Amino acid sequence: MKKLLAPLIAITFSLALLVTAALNIEASIESHDYFIKTVHPDRVLVVEPNLSGFVKAGAIAEDAGESLMNALEAIAEKYEVTASRIIHVQRNIGSVVPNLVVNVRPLQAIEAADLVSVSE
């Protein structure tokens, strides 16, 4: 009986842990309005809207571009934004979705360049 009880408890605990983790991942994904992805480290970022809520509702939000612009504040914490532009990408859900391409420079590099002095 003891030989059967230990694996049963371990399997039950593992399933409960997996279900809890899956629910937390889904909740955290839906809580963000956008995703910031690195295309070229410290130079080019792409901001994509989170469309999971819109896909479930069966419609793409027309104001997805506004949520992309909100990402510029988060990006400005680590980078200096040198340029940005909105591009339209066809997704596998059959819709054209706006993405924001952002050209950046790291703030640390800017601060280091300001500290360097040329002595003659």
Side-chain angles (χ1 to χ4, degrees):
M1 180 73 174
K2 289 183 181 180
K3 290 183 180 181
L4 181 65
L5 189 59
L8 208 62
I9 290 173
I11 291 171
T12 305
F13 179 73
S14 298
L15 286 174
L17 186 63
L18 285 173
V19 168
T20 304
L23 291 175
N24 286 337
I25 289 172
E26 184 177 333
S28 68
I29 288 173
E30 291 181 0
S31 66
H32 298 290
D33 290 337
Y34 53 82
F35 300 106
I36 300 173
K37 298 181 178 182
T38 303
V39 175
H40 192 280
D42 296 333
R43 292 195 183 158
V44 181
L45 306 175
V46 173
V47 182
E48 297 180 352
N50 182 356
L51 300 175
S52 64
F54 304 123
V55 171
K56 288 180 182 176
I60 300 298
E62 294 176 7
D63 62 345
E66 291 179 28
S67 68
L68 298 179
M69 296 309 237
N70 294 335
L72 289 176
E73 293 175 14
I75 293 171
E77 293 175 5
K78 294 182 179 180
Y79 300 99
E80 175 191 13
V81 176
T82 58
S84 66
R85 67 185 180 281
I86 290 187
I87 61 171
H88 297 282
V89 179
Q90 174 107 20
R91 290 293 195 206
N92 58 357
I93 57 175
S95 299
V96 176
V97 177
N99 284 352
L100 182 65
V101 177
V102 184
N103 295 355
V104 296
R105 288 191 318 185
L107 288 177
Q108 298 153 346
I110 296 167
E111 292 170 0
D114 290 341
L115 296 176
V116 174
S117 62
V118 178
S119 59
E120 295 179 24

